[in-house]
Amino acid sequence: GESVSHPDPADTATANADRQVELRTKDRLRKLSGQIDKALARIEGGTYGFCEETGDPISLKRLDARPIAKKSIEAQEMHERGERLSIKAG
């Protein structure tokens, strides 16, 4: 009979890819968990739903889609554009 002791390289690669996904997911969830704690603290403190940069109310639609949002769409987009520009410059 055939020896089954040698793992198929494709199976090994798949297992490794699965492991990577698990690790990335764990990392993402850990970060998310911290963001959720902060969002809950903002609810307690009465600052939830207001942009941390402009102080403007964050739209309900945005909060519904992303309950951990700390910035209004406008501030978030400015922030992301700023990040991209600084990356190019650096």
Side-chain angles (χ1 to χ4, degrees):
E2 287 270 312
S3 168
V4 196
S5 61
H6 300 296
D8 182 312
D11 288 349
T12 306
T14 302
N16 288 341
D18 287 351
R19 185 90 184 102
Q20 285 302 311
V21 169
E22 275 175 28
L23 290 173
R24 270 205 305 274
T25 303
K26 246 187 205 166
D27 196 45
R28 211 172 278 151
L29 289 174
R30 242 197 306 275
K31 285 184 186 129
L32 198 57
S33 170
Q35 291 174 329
I36 290 167
D37 287 344
K38 286 177 187 158
L40 290 170
R42 289 196 299 277
I43 290 172
E44 295 291 314
T47 59
Y48 182 79
F50 292 93
C51 177
E52 68 177 7
E53 280 186 15
T54 64
D56 293 337
I58 299 171
S59 72
L60 291 177
K61 196 172 149 203
R62 174 156 167 75
L63 288 172
D64 199 39
R66 189 167 169 78
I68 58 171
K70 293 180 291 190
K71 296 181 173 80
S72 66
I73 289 266
E74 296 76 23
Q76 183 64 41
E77 283 172 354
M78 276 168 31
H79 176 72
E80 283 169 7
R81 276 199 299 273
E83 267 189 355
R84 274 203 288 277
L85 288 172
S86 66
I87 289 166
K88 277 181 197 156

